[in-house]
């Protein structure tokens, strides 16, 4: 290997690693062997597990949780609105998109909370900035750490506590001292063994005399081998007890990985998964309906799957998007970037029902809905109610009323 070639370049050019390895190296993760952990220190039954579902693109909340008796809804989007007969009724003259039959069953069973009017002060309609605000938990000033990354820092800096399913680690799992782990959604993690594996391990040897940054880079390589040893078998081996993933449903595939990790008693408290495509500026009705159908099938199937296991009552699924859409449709039978929207929280231990007030469709700010629940109230409730954490330590000193869904 030429002296001018960096360790990163060597790993890439040799074909040794893929996206998950690069994510591991970038975040300096530190993984514990989950096989040993599952046998020696399994996650205790009764310990809450959060599964965060990010809907990238800005989901149209008004065509998800539909105010089907509100005249302003039909006036603002005469062709894009859903008729009352096409809505799955919930409560308070609101109903779900017809694609969300699984969510309807969860709501009727008291296991789905709908938090309405969620947003933050001085909203930003940029995808990048708004998602950054949601993932850092800081609408007031830019942050270099994510809200769950700060939780990791405050709880032992153990990356195995938070896992993203996918090769790119989301900012919310990045802390000052460590970051969560990134895992592929299928196929396991393959690294070389024998002479090549020994050579790579030697490259990753950590010396106490090295500078801190060099130590972190070296440690990341060591952690990668731990990732492979820990999760490779679990992800690569077919589990006949796991229902088949619906064809083409990427989110269902990610949640299948989460279900396998939970079944293996991994000591992980937070999982992150994602589904994109919600930026529906044109031809929204069919596109969003299809996406919501995927979301519904994936989450409902996942909850049914994990519900049969020992941690079935421990899992809390929270779903959010960076912003909602405008009340009025645009000229392309779509909707443009808006502000306040809905957050869903589902699970056996969730106190279902409606939370927050339904935003007015006529009392608007710059043609956008006014928020009435700060998204940090949702985070504070999850941190305290599911993770047993000090929300103030993570979110700062602001006042964020807790919600009663946990």
């Amino acid at each position: 290997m030429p002296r001018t070639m960096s360790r990163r370049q060597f790993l890439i050019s040799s074909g040794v690693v893929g996206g998950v390895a690069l994510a591991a190296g970038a975040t300096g993760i530190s993984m514990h062997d989950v096989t040993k952990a599952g046998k020696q220190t399994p996650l205790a039954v009764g310990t809450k597990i959060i599964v965060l579902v990010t809907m990238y693109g800005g989901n149209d909340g008004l065509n998800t949780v539909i105010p089907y008796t509100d005249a302003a809804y039909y006036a603002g989007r005469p062709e894009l609105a859903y008729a009352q007969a096409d809505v799955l009724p919930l409560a308070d003259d609101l109903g779900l998109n017809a694609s969300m039959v699984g969510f309807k069953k969860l709501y009727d069973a008291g296991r789905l909370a709908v938090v309405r009017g969620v947003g933050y002060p001085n909203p930003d309609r940029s995808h990048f900035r708004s998602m950054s605000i949601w993932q850092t938990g800081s609408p007031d000033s830019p942050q270099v750490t994510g809200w769950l990354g700060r939780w990791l820092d405050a709880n032992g800096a153990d990356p195995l506590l938070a896992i993203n399913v996918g090769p790119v680690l989301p900012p919310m799992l990045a802390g000052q001292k460590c970051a969560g782990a990134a895992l592929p959604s299928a196929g396991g993690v393959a690294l070389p063994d024998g002479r090549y594996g020994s050579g790579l391990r030697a490259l990753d040897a950590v010396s106490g005399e090295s500078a801190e940054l060099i130590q972190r880079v070296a440690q990341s390589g060591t952690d990668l081998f731990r990732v492979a040893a820990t999760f490779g078998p679990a992800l690569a081996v077919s589990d006949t007890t796991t229902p088949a993933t619906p064809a083409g449903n990427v989110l269902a595939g990610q949640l299948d990985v989460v279900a396998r990790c939970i079944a293996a008693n991994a000591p992980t408290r937070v999982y992150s998964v994602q589904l994109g495509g919600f930026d529906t500026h044109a031809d929204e009705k069919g596109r969003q309906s299809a996406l919501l159908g995927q979301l519904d099938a994936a989450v409902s199937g996942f909850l049914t799957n994990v519900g049969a296991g020992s941690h079935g009552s421990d899992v809390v699924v929270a779903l959010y998007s960076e912003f909602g859409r405008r009340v009025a449709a645009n000229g392309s039978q779509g909707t443009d970037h808006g502000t306040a929207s809905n957050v869903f929280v589902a699970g056996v231990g969730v106190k279902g029902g409606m939370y927050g007030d339904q935003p007015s469709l006529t009392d608007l700010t710059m043609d956008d809905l006014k928020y009435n629940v700060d998204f940090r109230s949702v985070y504070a409730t999850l941190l305290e109610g599911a993770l047993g954490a000090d929300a103030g330590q993570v979110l700062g000193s602001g006042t964020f009323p807790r919600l009663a869904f946990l």
Side-chain angles (χ1 to χ4, degrees):
M1 182 173 63
R3 291 184 180 179
T4 56
M5 181 178 286
S6 70
R7 172 179 172 277
R8 177 184 174 91
Q9 290 171 325
F10 169 69
L11 292 176
I12 296 172
S13 63
S14 66
V16 167
V17 297
V20 66
L22 299 181
T27 59
I29 63 172
S30 177
M31 297 290 293
H32 295 285
D33 185 271
V34 75
T35 303
K36 292 181 180 178
K39 295 179 180 178
Q40 299 176 1
T41 57
L43 191 68
V45 173
T47 303
K48 294 292 186 185
I49 300 167
I50 295 175
V51 180
L52 281 176
V53 181
T54 302
M55 297 180 283
Y56 284 104
N59 179 48
D60 181 8
L62 290 176
N63 271 6
T64 303
V65 180
I66 301 167
Y68 63 89
T69 64
D70 193 330
Y73 169 68
Y74 295 99
R77 41 178 75 186
E79 295 182 39
L80 194 59
Y82 285 92
Q84 294 187 23
D86 297 329
V87 171
L88 303 174
L90 297 179
D92 297 344
D93 292 330
L94 297 171
L96 285 173
N97 187 288
S99 296
M100 305 179 75
V101 290
F103 275 47
K104 165 66 171 169
K105 292 178 181 177
L106 287 169
Y107 187 89
D108 290 346
R111 297 180 178 181
L112 176 69
V114 181
V115 188
R116 304 170 291 185
V118 183
Y120 55 87
N122 303 313
D124 195 302
R125 296 172 187 83
S126 159
H127 288 295
F128 178 82
R129 176 63 184 139
S130 187
M131 185 54 74
S132 174
I133 287 170
W134 275 86
Q135 297 221 2
T136 62
S138 177
D140 304 318
S141 59
Q143 289 281 344
V144 296
T145 57
W147 69 284
L148 286 168
R150 296 192 293 276
W151 169 75
L152 284 170
D153 284 344
N155 288 273
D158 180 2
L160 192 56
L161 286 173
I163 291 175
N164 179 68
V165 179
V168 180
L169 200 74
M172 65 179 155
L173 297 187
Q176 190 70 40
K177 294 185 288 187
C178 77
L183 291 176
S185 58
V189 184
L191 291 176
D193 49 19
R195 180 167 61 89
Y196 294 103
S198 299
L200 286 175
R201 287 184 173 90
L203 282 173
D204 295 324
V206 180
S207 170
E209 299 177 358
S210 301
E212 180 181 357
L213 182 59
I214 295 176
Q215 291 186 50
R216 289 189 65 188
V217 171
Q219 184 63 50
S220 71
T222 300
D223 295 336
L224 178 59
F225 279 94
R226 282 174 162 175
V227 171
T230 296
F231 290 100
L235 298 180
V237 176
S238 175
D239 182 356
T240 56
T241 65
T242 302
T245 299
N249 194 326
V250 175
L251 179 60
Q254 296 171 33
L255 288 172
D256 178 66
V257 172
V258 175
R260 291 170 187 263
C261 292
I262 292 173
N265 284 319
T268 303
R269 301 295 305 282
V270 178
Y271 294 91
S272 169
V273 295
Q274 48 277 316
L275 180 64
F278 288 94
D279 196 20
T280 50
H281 288 281
D283 304 320
E284 176 184 302
K285 223 171 186 180
R287 291 175 56 201
Q288 188 201 28
S289 180
L291 286 168
L292 292 177
Q294 290 184 44
L295 186 82
D296 180 87
V299 173
S300 300
F302 167 74
L303 286 172
T304 297
N305 185 9
V306 297
S310 59
H311 289 289
S313 298
D314 302 333
V315 176
V316 176
V317 182
L319 306 92
Y320 75 98
S321 195
E322 65 261 44
F323 46 61
R325 317 294 289 194
R326 293 282 175 92
V327 174
N330 59 29
S332 302
Q333 290 309 306
T335 50
D336 296 327
H337 300 178
T339 53
S341 192
N342 315 293
V343 169
F344 294 107
V345 186
V348 172
V350 170
K351 298 174 184 176
M354 296 287 175
Y355 295 86
D357 296 325
Q358 179 65 17
S360 169
L361 273 62
T362 55
D363 181 15
L364 308 174
T365 299
M366 297 179 65
D367 298 324
D368 276 326
L369 300 176
K370 295 179 179 179
Y371 85 99
N372 64 81
V373 175
D374 192 301
F375 75 106
R376 288 166 291 185
S377 285
V378 177
Y379 286 177
T381 304
L382 291 171
L383 285 164
E384 294 183 354
L387 299 180
D390 180 350
Q393 192 173 25
V394 173
L395 301 175
S397 58
T399 301
F400 311 117
R402 304 333 184 225
L403 303 170
F405 58 75
L406 286 180

